[in-house]
Amino acid sequence: MKNVSKEKYLEKAALLSRDEAEQFFSRMDKKLVRKLDEHKLIPVEVLAIQLEIEDEKLKEWRERFAEIKARSKKA
């Protein structure tokens, strides 16, 4: 994870409400949960990583959807 984006996501994670944070924790990958359980990372760092992962997945999904939409217009 890049330092610049890490700071951005750390700030976002720090601003999450308790309910929002719990939602992100519930969607977390097992590897991230393990890092949190083993005290390698603090909760806000884990949330920041999860936020970044979800942003990347959303970006990829939007790109694929745009491609599908463009192909359907051609047909």
Side-chain angles (χ1 to χ4, degrees):
M1 195 163 58
K2 300 173 190 166
N3 287 338
V4 174
S5 65
K6 186 175 182 178
E7 289 299 319
K8 172 184 159 184
Y9 289 104
L10 280 171
E11 290 172 11
K12 282 184 175 183
L15 296 174
L16 292 175
S17 70
R18 182 182 177 106
D19 289 338
E20 292 169 327
E22 286 178 1
Q23 289 175 354
F24 280 100
F25 280 124
S26 71
R27 296 191 300 258
M28 224 178 280
D29 185 69
K30 290 179 184 179
K31 290 180 183 179
L32 284 177
V33 173
R34 197 174 325 119
K35 286 182 180 183
L36 182 61
D37 289 342
E38 294 172 357
H39 304 290
K40 292 182 180 179
L41 296 172
I42 60 173
V44 73
E45 291 173 329
V46 173
L47 283 172
I49 294 169
Q50 183 66 23
L51 281 166
E52 186 172 10
I53 290 168
E54 290 189 16
D55 276 356
E56 289 173 6
K57 286 182 179 180
L58 180 60
K59 180 182 172 188
E60 291 170 4
W61 178 86
R62 286 180 174 158
E63 289 170 357
R64 286 193 310 266
F65 187 76
E67 290 172 9
I68 293 168
K69 194 173 179 181
R71 278 190 259 141
S72 69
K73 285 184 180 181
K74 291 180 182 179

